[in-house]
Amino acid sequence: MDGQVFDKTKLPSRHVTEGPSRAPHRSYLYAMGLTKAQIHQPLVGVASCWNEAAPCNISLMRQAQAVKKGVAAAHGTPREFCTITVTDGIAMGHEGMKSSLASREVIADSVELTMRGHCYDALVGLAGCDKSLPGMMMAMVRLNVPSIFIYGGSILPGSFRGQPITIQDVFEAVGKHSVNAMSDEDLDEIEQAACPSAGACGAQFTANTMATVSEAIGLALPYSAGAPAPYEIRDRFCMTAGEMIMELIARNIRPRDIVTRKALENAATVVAASGGSTNASLHLPALAHEAGIEFDLFDVAEIFRRTPYVADLKPGGRYVAKDLFEVGGVPLLMKTLLDHGFLHGDCLTVTGRTIAENMEKVRWNADQDVVLPANKPLTKTGGVVGLRGNLAPDGAIVKVAGMKTQQFSGPARCFDSEEECFEAVSSKTFREGEVLVIRYEGPKGGPGMREMLSTTAALYGQGMGDKVALITDGRFSGATRGFCIGHVGPEAAVGGPIGLVRDGDVISIDAVAGTIEVALTDEELDIRRRDWKPRDNGFGSGALWKYGQGVGPARYGAVTHPGGQFERRAYADV
Ligand SMILES: CC[C@H](C)C(=O)C(=O)O
Ligand SMILES: [Mg+2]
């Protein structure tokens, strides 16, 4: 990039830095120590989700400095800014979780507004936890300025009595403790041992799933998703991203050149192949929506159905993110999928090259069993399955990776909030064979479509994970295991059938056939629908009220600008 001359008359930052009328604007930049030369170089927004809320984000400030060095080395002027996060692990199991999905929208919106307001020419975005990854990528596609995504990296595994553990073990320990199968002392020991470093939750939970997506969709540099947060090699990826962004400006390569329908299909493929988080079936439609591409839960589910499950990662399998990185990272997973025809190789990426070109130097590693060859998979279909039926005309999703049985039928036991169900689980006032129904927890109903790891992990920890099924119009965490069906749509709050179910109605789920049915006739459902009345969710003002007013259905990604609208006029072209 040495000697690259950028034509500022074509870049957005000209509105801030060029001509006599922008003297006041330049004064502010001089006030922050910028030189004349730096002011007239391209301005690169370095958006970081750094904060002290959780270990996922704590290393992002360090990594952002490396990005800035890279930008400066390639004759750009980096401008760092931060946005908020809501960290699921800490928001879990209480009202705080209602803020989680809403935070994805706030992150995307806040990055959008900072970029627009200051006319930055490009974006390098660093994100470390469940909602900040999709939120940051959504902002990139929405703004459509040259962009590179950087993941903050995974946490290192913990160790408990010689066994590697993750935070999932702590959530499940709560269930064991509730049935007196774990002592207070052991719970105390495990909670102190599970999280030994900075970084996002260590298995193929939501953060690592979306990090895998960031490479497969083409917005992140190859290998950059895998290195754990404390590893210094992350800083090298960050430096390279900083240099690379200048190249993308020069070549005018934009996120919507990268995030095409085929790229979204590649993203769904790596989710299924790695037994990733069900949350991806929300985030991929949301990302597609930013690009004006129709790609809903059923499109995701169709790819899940035809993708082999090859990466033996927790929560369904044996290994964690660090293990995957050590045997070859996301490129190893993509290599076997590409070689066996499951990925589109011709999609452009932020390297300026295609997926297939990026893969040219990747060699298959036969000396490991973290990723199996795609022609000898763990199972022939993906680890996550889409469902549809009279209980979920707008679809539902279930993670089958690691599950012994894929069919379940039983009488419903209904709860109108997660708290009610958690109470029943803690006091064991439910029976084996039942289908626990948690409703009024959808995007509008909650509001906020809560993840329910506390409840599902407590069930699992009690040894009830495959003895009951759980269905909800809410969501699950990436660490949820057991027969748990989420995203049931339409949600109860808008009159969906899940709100019409009564205790004792028989519900049948078949993950092989892809169906979810309640044994009620259409006539009976119509009669019940006539008696149904909408409920007040208790939020009359503030961010969650606003979210509940604007949010669309889970099937289309639960975005707050639904109705087919997307940002057609990229601000960089104005
Ligand atoms: C441990 C699970 C994590 C906190 C989470 O919320 C997710 O992966 O979705
Ligand atoms: Mg989560």
Side-chain angles (χ1 to χ4, degrees):
M1 289 307 299
D2 231 22
Q4 179 82 49
V5 179
F6 293 92
D7 181 1
K8 277 281 260 193
T9 63
K10 293 208 170 69
L11 291 178
S13 63
R14 71 186 186 280
H15 296 301
V16 168
T17 61
E18 306 307 303
S21 67
R22 302 306 139 138
H25 308 59
R26 289 190 294 272
S27 287
Y28 289 107
L29 299 176
Y30 282 120
M32 292 183 283
L34 296 191
T35 64
K36 189 173 286 232
Q38 285 171 327
I39 288 171
H40 294 291
Q41 290 180 156
L43 304 184
V44 177
V46 178
S48 146
C49 300
W50 178 85
N51 60 52
E52 292 185 332
C56 337
N57 306 308
I58 206 80
S59 73
L60 295 180
M61 190 182 278
R62 176 195 107 223
Q63 297 189 45
Q65 305 322 304
V67 171
K68 287 162 73 179
K69 278 190 205 158
V71 171
H75 308 289
T77 300
R79 305 313 298 150
E80 184 180 352
F81 62 96
C82 287
T83 183
I84 65 140
T85 60
V86 172
T87 294
D88 286 2
I90 293 177
M92 199 72 70
H94 52 90
E95 285 262 315
M97 181 46 80
K98 295 188 177 181
S99 303
S100 160
L101 191 58
S103 78
R104 186 191 71 184
E105 308 305 290
V106 174
I107 292 163
D109 291 356
S110 64
V111 172
E112 176 192 353
L113 295 178
T114 298
M115 292 288 296
R116 281 184 187 278
H118 305 96
C119 300
Y120 295 151
D121 300 314
L123 171 62
V124 180
L126 301 101
C129 63
D130 297 13
K131 304 305 168 302
S132 55
L133 277 89
M136 190 64 78
M137 288 189 264
M138 284 162 70
M140 291 173 172
V141 179
R142 187 183 303 172
L143 291 162
N144 205 29
V145 288
S147 300
I148 300 184
F149 177 83
I150 299 259
Y151 178 42
S154 169
I155 199 169
L156 296 172
S159 170
F160 180 64
R161 314 233 162 114
Q163 294 300 315
I165 56 166
T166 71
I167 192 72
Q168 176 186 354
D169 297 278
V170 189
F171 276 104
E172 292 177 2
V174 175
K176 286 191 193 135
H177 183 262
S178 77
V179 291
N180 298 320
M182 180 177 269
S183 66
D184 291 349
E185 293 73 30
D186 283 2
L187 187 61
D188 183 52
E189 194 178 327
I190 203 169
E191 78 186 37
Q192 295 196 47
C195 296
S197 76
C201 300
Q204 198 66 341
F205 306 146
T206 308
N208 282 318
T209 299
M210 294 311 294
T212 308
V213 161
S214 71
E215 282 193 39
I217 210 164
L219 288 174
L221 295 173
Y223 294 102
S224 67
Y231 287 13
E232 296 292 322
I233 194 176
R234 291 218 60 79
D235 296 31
R236 261 191 271 160
F237 289 120
C238 293
M239 273 283 286
T240 308
E243 289 169 357
M244 203 63 193
I245 195 72
M246 300 306 295
E247 178 109 19
L248 295 188
I249 299 174
R251 294 176 60 184
N252 197 21
I253 295 177
R254 315 266 193 107
R256 285 188 218 159
D257 302 326
I258 293 171
V259 180
T260 58
R261 163 122 203 160
K262 279 181 170 178
L264 288 156
E265 291 181 2
N266 284 348
T269 301
V270 294
V271 173
S274 65
S277 168
T278 49
N279 280 305
S281 65
L282 266 183
H283 301 323
L284 295 181
L287 257 174
H289 184 67
E290 300 292 351
I293 298 169
E294 276 182 36
F295 191 73
D296 72 2
L297 181 143
F298 292 112
D299 295 300
V300 177
E302 172 54 24
I303 291 161
F304 286 176
R305 199 184 54 73
R306 58 175 197 240
T307 304
Y309 167 40
V310 295
D312 195 3
L313 298 170
K314 288 172 184 250
R318 290 179 293 163
Y319 294 105
V320 296
K322 171 179 170 282
D323 301 321
L324 175 61
F325 178 63
E326 281 166 4
V327 298
V330 176
L332 185 76
L333 173 66
M334 290 174 62
K335 164 91 183 145
T336 189
L337 291 169
L338 183 68
D339 285 354
H340 292 94
F342 294 104
L343 284 183
H344 304 290
D346 55 347
C347 294
L348 186 65
T349 74
V350 288
T351 62
R353 298 189 298 269
T354 63
I355 295 272
E357 285 165 348
N358 290 344
M359 288 289 133
E360 270 164 17
K361 288 207 187 94
V362 180
R363 294 280 157 267
W364 176 246
N365 176 358
D367 196 20
Q368 53 83 36
D369 59 359
V370 182
V371 180
L372 303 185
N375 59 346
K376 292 196 186 85
L378 289 157
T379 58
K380 283 210 171 100
T381 60
V384 184
V385 172
L387 306 172
R388 192 180 217 164
N390 72 346
L391 191 48
D394 264 358
I397 198 96
V398 59
K399 184 185 275 200
V400 294
M403 255 164 51
K404 290 188 205 91
T405 159
Q406 307 220 348
Q407 276 108 357
F408 199 99
S409 187
R413 183 182 286 267
C414 301
F415 306 95
D416 289 345
S417 71
E418 188 195 3
E419 281 82 359
E420 282 178 33
C421 183
F422 187 77
E423 180 52 38
V425 170
S426 304
S427 55
K428 291 211 81 175
T429 48
F430 65 95
R431 288 204 199 95
E432 201 174 311
E434 287 180 336
V435 179
L436 310 182
V437 179
I438 308 178
R439 58 212 182 171
Y440 297 99
E441 290 284 4
K444 275 188 186 297
M449 204 183 179
R450 281 195 280 188
E451 282 183 14
M452 303 189 186
L453 179 59
S454 294
T455 305
T456 61
L459 274 171
Y460 202 90
Q462 291 177 347
M464 299 301 285
D466 51 5
K467 300 200 173 72
V468 293
L470 192 154
I471 74 166
T472 181
D473 49 9
R475 300 181 290 137
F476 299 116
S477 147
T480 286
R481 52 180 170 168
F483 216 122
C484 299
I485 294 95
H487 306 203
V488 170
E491 61 174 302
V494 300
I498 188 171
L500 308 177
V501 174
R502 293 179 187 156
D503 284 354
D505 291 343
V506 174
I507 293 175
S508 303
I509 305 125
D510 185 336
V512 179
T515 56
I516 178 164
E517 302 282 347
V518 54
L520 294 172
T521 60
D522 290 350
E523 292 72 35
E524 176 61 20
L525 283 169
D526 282 343
I527 292 166
R528 293 190 190 181
R529 197 169 284 118
R530 267 178 247 135
D531 291 341
W532 177 85
K533 289 193 184 55
R535 300 177 172 215
D536 178 4
N537 62 23
F539 286 86
S541 69
L544 289 175
W545 171 81
K546 207 194 287 179
Y547 179 80
Q549 296 297 306
V551 70
R555 174 178 173 179
Y556 301 107
V559 295
T560 44
H561 49 124
Q565 293 306 311
F566 74 103
E567 181 55 39
R568 292 184 186 83
R569 198 186 62 156
Y571 96 96
D573 298 326
V574 177

